[in-house]
Amino acid sequence: MSTNQESNSKQTLIVSYGTLKRGFSNHYLMQELINKNVAVFLGSGNRVKGELYSVSTQGLARLDEFEGTKFGHYDRLPVQVQSEEDEGEGLVEAEAYFANKSFAERLWEKKGKVGWNEYRETDGKQYVMPGDRAKDSCILDDIELFLSSIQ
């Protein structure tokens, strides 16, 4: 079996609800995966507005690397998805990236114990691209600094 066939044999459904969505700063990665035929855009969601992609094993490895799953930045967890077009239809099992359990609850508390149902342009303006971050900083240090600050 060729590497390309092998990488495309298993597909995982991924929900993107933040910077990986179309029109946001990190969507270039999803577009790169689509261009390489290791991801396919499937649609948008409703309750938490996100985008659904079918991603190959190769694409999933690249997303895990980007989201820092092995370093404790984000966790990829199961979710149930229902498209707004299929309201009333069955749920689909997928996965999404969430803040790592080591700081997720404190982050939620810091944000007033309020979630949000859609990542918007105003949220995106607060995002600092990896290339624009201090070279010697670690995202976990930045998160801890944010969590310890008074707001």
Side-chain angles (χ1 to χ4, degrees):
M1 178 182 287
S2 75
T3 306
N4 193 31
Q5 287 174 328
E6 186 176 301
S7 67
N8 290 322
S9 61
K10 182 181 183 298
Q11 297 290 307
T12 300
L13 295 178
I14 293 291
V15 176
S16 168
Y17 60 90
T19 63
L20 290 170
K21 286 182 7 179
R22 291 174 297 163
F24 289 93
S25 56
N26 290 322
H27 180 70
Y28 73 89
L29 176 57
M30 293 310 302
Q31 191 59 55
E32 176 185 307
L33 296 176
I34 289 167
N35 292 346
K36 291 180 178 179
N37 292 319
V38 296
V40 175
F41 174 74
L42 297 178
S44 299
N46 188 7
R47 286 180 184 85
V48 171
K49 294 190 181 217
E51 298 178 347
L52 185 62
Y53 294 86
S54 177
V55 182
S56 72
T57 304
Q58 178 186 354
L60 193 60
R62 179 67 180 98
L63 286 170
D64 282 351
E65 176 188 5
F66 179 81
E67 298 290 5
T69 57
K70 83 175 190 181
F71 300 111
H73 300 172
Y74 286 87
D75 295 322
R76 182 167 35 91
L77 301 172
V79 295
Q80 292 185 328
V81 179
Q82 180 176 36
S83 112
E84 51 190 358
E85 293 86 21
D86 295 332
E87 197 67 37
E89 299 294 318
L91 299 174
V92 174
E93 299 293 323
E95 296 179 348
Y97 293 93
F98 295 92
N100 182 269
K101 61 187 172 198
S102 67
F103 61 86
E105 187 170 350
R106 292 182 297 143
L107 186 59
W108 178 68
E109 289 170 355
K110 179 77 171 186
K111 298 297 264 179
K113 295 185 178 182
V114 176
W116 85 100
N117 71 339
E118 184 174 14
Y119 189 85
R120 302 174 190 265
E121 285 184 40
T122 54
D123 301 305
K125 289 179 181 175
Q126 298 174 17
Y127 180 76
V128 179
M129 294 290 289
D132 295 335
R133 297 177 190 155
K135 300 294 181 220
D136 58 344
S137 77
C138 168
I139 191 167
L140 295 177
D141 293 337
D142 294 340
I143 291 168
E144 286 299 329
L145 181 63
F146 171 74
L147 290 172
S148 65
S149 68
I150 298 173
Q151 218 172 346

